[in-house]
Amino acid sequence: MTIDASNLADRPLDNSLGRKNARNTLSPIRSAKNLVRKPAKLGESLVGAGIISSEDLETALRTHAQNRNQLGETLLEMGIVDEDSLLLFLGQQAGIPAIRLRSGLVDPVAVKLIPRSKAESLCVLGMFQVRDTLTVAMAEPANLRHIDELSRITGLTIRPVLSMRGSIERMLKNCYEDNFSVDEVTADLDEDAVSIESDAIDVSLADVESLTEGSPVINLVNYIIVQAIRQKASDIHFEPSQASSIVRYRVDGYLREILRPRREFHAAMVSRLKVLAKLDISEHRMPQDGRIHLRVDGREIDLRISTLPTILGEKVVMRVLDKKNVTFYLDKLGMRNEVLGSIKELLNRPYGLLLTTGPTGSGKTTTLYSAVELIKSVQRNIVTVEDPVEYQLDQINQVQVSSAKSMQFSDALRSILRQDPDVIMVGEIRDAETASIAIQAALTGHLVLSTLHTNDSFGAVTRLRDMGIEPFKIAASLLGVIAQRLVRTICPACDIAYYPESEQLDAIRYQGDRRRQFHRGQGCRDCFDTGYRGRTGIYEIFSLDRTAREIITRNGTTDELRINHRKLGRRLLLDEGIYLAEQGRTTVDEVLEVAYCDE
């Protein structure tokens, strides 16, 4: 016996099994199969919950007897209840996540993991694959035979979610088609959602429309940009492939495929973006960089665009710079009070070098901007040199370097030192010459802020040595180093407690109580079934004391610096990640993946 989306009883399921299960699976399904009753029970439950009236139920039952649809489908067709309310009710009754299917929610790659004939016969739709688990929308999510068959076909663990049969059948027709309907995707796009700022774009819309020969490319590009901003994506990728164009968003540090327009749309989309960014639309063999300034949903957005020729066509990546979603206040970056106090103490020094380290996309620039915002005043001359300038700050003199204009970081720094600066922010120390000038500026009475690419805070010393900086100069000029990472935070809508496996705790060298519960996200519509929503920073502060300076001066190792750091009772990146996991803000898996580094 199976559960159908419109044939559920009114008896609630025991959800405690889901909390006891450390795996990201739906344990209540096996206990749900005994709870099916006649279709009328669904109607009685809806009336009892106050979702529909008794009169509505009688009307629906008469229609239901004539068309022989499931009662839930009949209620939807008659407009007595909306799909969101019905699914929420059914999901609560069955103890199974319920999802309203829509175009942007389904991963095209996951769809093709299930053959079309099998998907149609079982009325299922592949939605997302997260590691070895495939989330599948099913009209009968408690049908164990169907789940076992899907697991055998895909070789993956199947995580069923409840969806309406009619919605699955409608989506199946579209998801397995090679062609892509732009009008269908952009149907819900407000015509005024995107406007081009006149100060940034000097090309008329009529010219763009003639360029794309009246195609719906403009609507498609607008839709992609609007959805990226609404989903808080940091980057948009337009990638050519043999059969289609691929559009992906980077959300919370991870790429997610959104659309697969037809192959012939790709060149038109690239041309549209090039026109907006004032790039050469006739140049296809050389990389180009540009910028687009738009107003989206009433917010000013900057898009930093980069094109790259590939063998299949031009790949375009756009960095979304939305100041509304970025905070430049140190107090709001998620730092512990101890960490925040240490950074503020370093920023109060009149001169010296303060570095932030970490991989690309770890929030180093945001930390530097926040530091500058904290210390800026009318009494200070603050100058930044960046490549490129991402956000414009008030009362700050910002300089953008460019290889095309033959001005590198080192060239700009020399000129800045003749501008009577108090504070200098260098976007990145990339070479020995820039490092030497920055060190010299720190030694001659300037506060210098910059970034380096190293695995941890102690590696910054080694990196400066490799650039040819003498150890005694490093010891004399370096105030401290901030190493940081961004970890995904658990989605509050699907947060559950669980007990990690001992192997996971061993991997992060956990020294606490192993009987304690940690938290993770099950996956839901709010987080696109990832279990995570949003990110926060973890920070390792290496503040130089007398012992650390002595170690650096005599060319000591990073291990010696780390041991001294530990003796002072200070935390490493891994310790900060474990602390967040213990607080229930992130998962052990995320700590292991993002924060772990060899000691």
Side-chain angles (χ1 to χ4, degrees):
M1 189 176 292
T2 58
I3 289 182
D4 188 84
S6 54
N7 193 19
L8 289 176
D10 57 348
R11 187 188 307 171
L13 293 177
D14 182 5
N15 289 326
S16 62
L17 293 175
R19 295 186 177 275
K20 294 178 182 177
N21 191 355
R23 300 288 184 184
N24 194 13
T25 57
L26 295 173
S27 56
I29 341 178
R30 297 184 182 273
S31 62
K33 61 180 182 179
N34 297 320
L35 301 180
V36 181
R37 299 181 185 175
K38 296 179 181 180
K41 289 297 182 183
L42 172 61
E44 293 171 6
S45 300
L46 290 170
V47 172
I51 297 177
I52 64 174
S53 66
S54 300
E55 293 76 12
D56 288 336
L57 176 59
E58 292 176 3
T59 304
L61 286 175
R62 286 194 294 270
T63 305
H64 168 65
Q66 295 173 2
N67 59 25
R68 299 194 177 189
N69 284 344
Q70 299 294 341
L71 179 58
E73 301 288 349
T74 301
L75 291 168
L76 289 176
E77 290 176 1
M78 297 180 66
I80 295 175
V81 65
D82 63 272
E83 188 171 352
D84 283 338
S85 300
L86 182 59
L87 281 172
L88 178 62
F89 178 80
L90 295 176
Q92 291 174 344
Q93 290 288 307
I96 296 174
I99 290 179
R100 179 175 65 85
L101 294 175
R102 59 188 187 278
S103 299
L105 188 63
V106 178
D107 185 344
V109 176
V111 169
K112 301 301 173 64
L113 294 175
I114 304 173
R116 180 170 186 169
S117 58
K118 186 62 63 176
E120 290 175 341
S121 65
L122 302 182
C123 196
V124 299
L125 179 67
M127 297 183 65
F128 300 106
Q129 180 183 351
V130 180
R131 296 186 178 89
D132 62 346
T133 300
L134 177 65
T135 297
V136 181
M138 304 178 68
E140 301 175 6
N143 192 319
L144 301 181
R145 182 176 59 82
H146 289 179
I147 293 174
D148 291 341
E149 188 172 0
L150 292 173
S151 181
R152 178 183 56 80
I153 292 172
T154 62
L156 300 169
T157 300
I158 301 300
R159 181 178 186 271
V161 295
L162 177 66
S163 291
M164 302 304 298
R165 182 180 296 275
S167 296
I168 295 176
E169 291 173 349
R170 285 190 295 271
M171 288 291 292
L172 284 174
K173 295 177 183 178
N174 297 329
C175 291
Y176 284 89
E177 295 294 334
D178 291 331
N179 292 335
F180 177 82
S181 174
V182 174
D183 293 335
E184 178 183 349
V185 173
T186 61
D188 62 344
L189 180 63
D190 185 355
E191 292 182 359
D192 299 326
V194 179
S195 63
I196 302 171
E197 293 297 296
S198 58
D199 62 337
I201 305 296
D202 57 4
V203 62
S204 71
L205 288 176
D207 292 337
V208 176
E209 290 172 357
S210 64
L211 180 99
T212 55
E213 300 177 347
S215 72
V217 169
I218 293 175
N219 285 338
L220 177 58
V221 170
N222 286 351
Y223 172 83
I224 291 170
I225 293 173
V226 169
Q227 291 302 316
I229 293 166
R230 289 175 180 173
Q231 296 182 30
K232 298 182 179 180
S234 61
D235 300 89
I236 309 171
H237 291 240
F238 297 81
E239 301 170 340
S241 68
Q242 291 283 3
S244 64
S245 180
I246 301 173
V247 179
R248 298 195 289 172
Y249 295 162
R250 185 177 295 279
V251 181
D252 293 338
Y254 287 79
L255 282 171
R256 182 172 68 237
E257 185 172 313
I258 303 300
L259 297 173
R260 279 188 177 244
R262 291 199 304 266
R263 183 68 176 88
E264 56 265 30
F265 275 103
H266 186 78
M269 288 192 298
V270 172
S271 295
R272 165 68 172 167
L273 294 170
K274 282 185 173 181
V275 168
L276 295 179
K278 300 182 184 178
L279 301 180
D280 185 357
I281 63 172
S282 64
E283 178 58 70
H284 305 289
R285 298 182 180 180
M286 297 293 292
Q288 298 186 67
D289 296 311
R291 203 178 190 113
I292 304 172
H293 188 54
L294 301 174
R295 183 178 294 275
V296 178
D297 288 340
R299 292 148 57 184
E300 291 190 7
I301 305 293
D302 279 324
L303 301 175
R304 201 173 71 203
I305 180 172
S306 171
T307 70
L308 180 69
T310 72
I311 59 173
L312 297 176
E314 288 182 278
K315 172 179 168 62
V316 177
V317 176
M318 294 195 299
R319 170 64 57 87
V320 181
L321 303 175
D322 182 2
K323 196 169 184 179
K324 186 175 180 179
N325 286 332
V326 180
T327 177
F328 294 137
Y329 296 96
L330 284 175
D331 307 62
K332 296 182 179 180
L333 295 183
M335 299 176 180
R336 290 188 301 106
N337 290 333
E338 180 184 347
V339 172
L340 182 62
S342 298
I343 294 177
K344 288 183 176 180
E345 181 182 347
L346 293 173
L347 291 172
N348 283 330
R349 306 284 181 88
Y351 57 87
L353 176 64
L354 177 61
L355 297 173
T356 62
T357 69
T360 301
S362 60
K364 300 186 300 296
T365 302
T366 299
T367 300
L368 286 185
Y369 277 172
S370 301
V372 169
E373 281 284 347
L374 179 68
I375 63 177
K376 74 178 184 182
S377 70
V378 294
Q379 287 83 27
R380 276 180 163 169
N381 177 21
I382 301 178
V383 186
T384 75
V385 50
E386 307 169 58
D387 181 21
V389 174
E390 294 191 356
Y391 296 99
Q392 296 181 16
L393 306 177
D394 294 333
Q395 299 181 1
I396 307 296
N397 304 289
Q398 296 174 269
V399 179
Q400 180 162 310
V401 300
S402 170
S403 57
K405 297 178 181 178
S406 301
M407 184 172 69
Q408 299 296 327
F409 279 109
S410 55
D411 302 318
L413 269 177
R414 289 193 188 93
S415 298
I416 288 171
L417 288 173
R418 293 191 289 269
Q419 291 284 316
D420 186 30
D422 297 297
V423 180
I424 304 171
M425 189 192 99
V426 184
E428 181 183 349
I429 295 179
R430 297 177 177 174
D431 51 56
E433 189 175 10
T434 303
S436 178
I437 299 173
I439 291 286
Q440 193 62 36
L443 290 172
T444 55
H446 304 89
L447 180 61
V448 181
L449 314 177
S450 190
T451 69
L452 276 178
H453 287 281
T454 62
N455 290 330
D456 60 8
S457 59
F458 313 103
V461 175
T462 304
R463 182 82 176 104
L464 290 173
R465 286 175 185 162
D466 292 342
M467 289 182 174
I469 307 299
E470 295 90 339
F472 74 90
K473 286 187 177 180
I474 300 175
S477 62
L478 189 61
L479 296 175
V481 185
I482 306 168
Q484 64 183 80
R485 298 288 189 278
L486 292 177
V487 294
R488 292 181 293 174
T489 52
I490 299 171
C491 174
C494 59
D495 186 347
I496 62 169
Y498 81 110
Y499 294 95
E501 297 178 357
S502 58
E503 290 81 2
Q504 290 179 300
L505 298 178
D506 290 339
I508 63 173
R509 304 171 187 174
Y510 186 65
Q511 302 297 320
D513 183 5
R514 298 202 169 205
R515 295 171 297 178
R516 72 175 298 153
Q517 287 185 328
F518 286 81
H519 289 257
R520 68 185 304 169
Q522 290 188 103
C524 63
R525 190 173 76 176
D526 289 351
C527 61
F528 292 91
D529 208 43
T530 63
Y532 298 96
R533 193 170 68 180
R535 290 190 293 177
T536 190
I538 57 174
Y539 304 87
E540 174 185 277
I541 309 299
F542 169 39
S543 180
L544 274 70
D545 63 344
R546 178 173 296 181
T547 303
R549 296 187 191 281
E550 291 175 354
I551 294 173
I552 294 173
T553 302
R554 60 176 172 80
N555 254 338
T557 64
T558 54
D559 285 338
E560 292 181 83
L561 293 173
R562 189 177 290 110
I563 291 171
N564 180 63
H565 186 81
R566 285 285 201 187
K567 287 180 179 179
L568 295 173
R570 297 169 181 170
R571 294 181 174 182
L572 302 178
L573 269 174
L574 184 58
D575 302 323
E576 294 288 343
I578 292 172
Y579 173 78
L580 281 185
E582 289 177 334
Q583 298 298 310
R585 297 181 61 192
T586 191
T587 65
V588 175
D589 288 335
E590 188 73 0
V591 173
L592 184 60
E593 184 172 346
V594 177
Y596 179 77
C597 61
D598 289 328
E599 293 190 28

